[in-house]
């Protein structure tokens, strides 16, 4: 009787395993013959995530994984052989492009000289000035924003408009009282930066105030703005050398990279011919 009972249990287990594929160790989901394992989601949930959010993240990942597997299976069954052949050729070419681009980028990164001298920058700028036009208005100015009730206002205003670099100690002392300031008027800035730093200047009054040599004193409810415009360059004019330097460096480096890639491709082909690894049959 006992023997018959054990035999029945074994038959039931075998029957269940026959109709339901055996679950892989550490697997958490299955689509056909594809399994998703615990190791596949080991780094999915960021540290500190709540239990509820963790469950949602994991479930969403599993559902997307299942959808992708089901879709690719359906595509492989239903797409024509001609269409699959076309896509496989594209995949093969994409792999070639991806690998070769990554390899060339690595070679360039380890080989190209990234130091660009001031002389080289200036030479390229002088030869290609017309390619470096302004996209907007550029301004050189200095400004101070301080309280209108500042007890040293008259002295600060006088020294500001008759600015002298020898007064560095004075400015180091009093600039702590300013709400904002910029005293270096040798730097070119885009007009958008002027609007951001000086709310008293706007597109409506720009032409009135932003003119070379303009001395401006504007008060609002609590503040006084002292502004001295040094120079202005309008849109579509040649950009100053100093303003163009970052772009110049990028252009020169890109030029070097393209030349290096061209040379590398030529050298690798010539080496292959020399070593008889590359032959063209007539």
């Amino acid at each position: 009787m006992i023997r018959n009972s054990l035999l029945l249990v074994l038959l039931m287990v075998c029957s269940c395993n026959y109709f339901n594929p055996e679950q892989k160790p550490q697997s958490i989901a299955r689509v056909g013959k594809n399994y998703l394992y615990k190791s596949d989601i080991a780094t999915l949930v960021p540290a500190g995530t709540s239990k509820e959010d963790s469950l949602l993240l994991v479930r969403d990942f599993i559902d997307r994984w299942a959808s992708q597997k089901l879709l690719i299976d359906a595509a492989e069954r239903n797409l024509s052989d001609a269409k699959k052949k076309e896509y496989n050729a594209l995949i093969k070419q994409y792999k070639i492009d991806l690998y070769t681009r990554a390899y060339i980028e690595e070679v360039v990164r380890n080989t190209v000289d990234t130091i660009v001298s001031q002389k080289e920058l200036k030479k390229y700028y002088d030869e290609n000035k017309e390619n470096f036009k302004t996209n907007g208005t550029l301004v050189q100015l200095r400004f101070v924003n301080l309280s209108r009730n500042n007890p040293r206002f008259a002295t600060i205003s006088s020294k500001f408009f008759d600015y002298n670099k020898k007064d560095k100690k004075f400015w180091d002392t009093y600039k702590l009282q300013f709400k904002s300031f910029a005293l270096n008027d040798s730097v070119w800035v885009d007009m958008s930066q002027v609007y951001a730093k000086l709310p008293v200047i706007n597109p409506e009054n720009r032409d009135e105030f932003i003119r070379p040599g303009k001395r401006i004193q504007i008060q609002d409810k609590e503040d006084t703005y002292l502004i001295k415009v040094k120079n202005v360059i309008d849109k579509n004019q040649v950009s100053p050398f100093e303003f163009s330097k970052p772009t110049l460096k990028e252009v020169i480096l890109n030029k070097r990279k393209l030349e290096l890639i061209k040379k590398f491709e030529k050298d690798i082909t010539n080496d292959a011919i020399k070593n008889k690894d590359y032959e063209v049959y007539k």
Side-chain angles (χ1 to χ4, degrees):
M1 182 72 176
I2 295 174
R3 185 178 178 182
N4 290 338
S5 298
L6 287 172
L7 182 61
L8 181 61
V9 170
L10 285 171
L11 287 170
M12 289 176 66
V13 171
C14 292
S15 176
C16 290
N17 287 340
Y18 180 79
F19 290 105
N20 298 293
E22 179 185 359
Q23 186 181 22
K24 300 281 186 180
Q26 300 297 307
S27 60
I28 56 175
R30 180 186 66 82
V31 172
K33 295 180 180 180
N34 301 294
Y35 287 85
L36 184 68
Y37 299 98
K38 287 184 179 179
S39 59
D40 296 324
I41 62 168
T43 60
L44 177 65
V45 180
T49 307
S50 67
K51 184 179 179 180
E52 292 77 11
D53 288 341
S54 298
L55 290 172
L56 287 172
L57 279 171
V58 171
R59 188 52 196 255
D60 182 60
F61 181 86
I62 293 172
D63 287 343
R64 283 186 287 110
W65 172 84
S67 295
Q68 288 177 346
K69 294 300 180 186
L70 291 167
L71 283 169
I72 190 66
D73 287 347
E76 287 178 344
R77 288 195 308 270
N78 294 295
L79 286 175
S80 67
D81 289 342
K83 186 62 71 174
K84 284 190 282 188
K85 184 178 180 181
E86 176 187 345
Y87 286 138
N88 283 333
L90 290 173
I91 292 168
K92 184 178 179 181
Q93 186 59 49
Y94 178 71
K95 180 181 178 180
I96 292 170
D97 294 341
L98 193 66
Y99 273 48
T100 54
R101 184 166 65 247
Y103 176 55
I104 289 173
E105 286 175 356
E106 187 71 20
V107 170
V108 169
R109 183 165 52 249
N110 293 326
T111 309
V112 70
D113 182 6
T114 57
I115 297 174
V116 183
S117 68
Q118 183 83 354
K119 182 179 179 180
E120 189 174 3
L121 289 170
K122 191 68 169 66
K123 182 176 183 294
Y124 193 89
Y125 173 78
D126 290 339
E127 293 174 351
N128 300 276
K129 280 184 179 180
E130 292 302 314
N131 295 330
F132 297 94
K133 296 290 186 71
T134 56
N135 292 321
T137 300
L138 300 180
V139 185
Q140 284 179 318
L141 57 71
R142 62 179 183 269
F143 75 89
V144 167
N145 174 14
L146 70 163
S147 170
R148 63 188 301 178
N149 298 318
N150 190 297
R152 299 296 305 275
F153 178 81
T155 303
I156 292 170
S157 176
S158 175
K159 284 188 175 293
F160 176 81
F161 287 117
D162 295 319
Y163 188 79
N164 191 322
K165 290 183 179 179
K166 294 179 181 179
D167 293 331
K168 183 178 184 301
K169 187 175 180 180
F170 173 87
W171 294 113
D172 287 344
T173 300
Y174 285 96
K175 68 186 180 183
L176 297 175
Q177 301 176 14
F178 304 152
K179 296 184 178 181
S180 62
F181 66 92
L183 298 174
N184 184 2
D185 59 6
S186 65
V187 177
W188 288 97
V189 297
D190 189 86
M191 198 63 213
S192 60
Q193 292 177 267
V194 177
Y195 294 145
K197 292 288 185 181
L198 298 171
V200 291
I201 305 293
N202 55 59
E204 286 70 35
N205 64 22
R206 194 204 82 167
D207 292 340
E208 176 186 354
F209 292 123
I210 304 302
R211 300 201 304 266
K214 182 74 174 179
R215 297 157 64 104
I216 306 163
Q217 180 176 316
I218 305 177
Q219 291 184 339
D220 60 15
K221 292 181 180 179
E222 298 179 355
D223 301 337
T224 296
Y225 291 87
L226 305 176
I227 307 166
K228 175 64 184 297
V229 180
K230 182 180 177 182
N231 211 342
V232 180
I233 294 179
D234 290 324
K235 184 178 180 181
N236 292 326
Q237 301 302 309
V238 175
S239 293
F241 171 66
E242 289 297 326
F243 185 81
S244 303
K245 278 171 72 172
T247 304
L248 284 165
K249 183 176 180 180
E250 186 177 346
V251 169
I252 291 171
L253 287 178
N254 284 336
K255 188 169 178 287
R256 285 182 187 175
K257 289 175 183 178
L258 290 173
E259 290 171 353
L260 182 61
I261 290 170
K262 188 175 181 179
K263 182 179 182 302
F264 177 69
E265 290 176 342
K266 184 177 180 180
D267 288 348
I268 201 171
T269 303
N270 289 338
D271 287 345
I273 293 171
K274 183 179 178 180
N275 296 327
K276 299 192 182 303
D277 291 327
Y278 170 40
E279 295 178 313
V280 177
Y281 303 115
K282 296 181 179 179

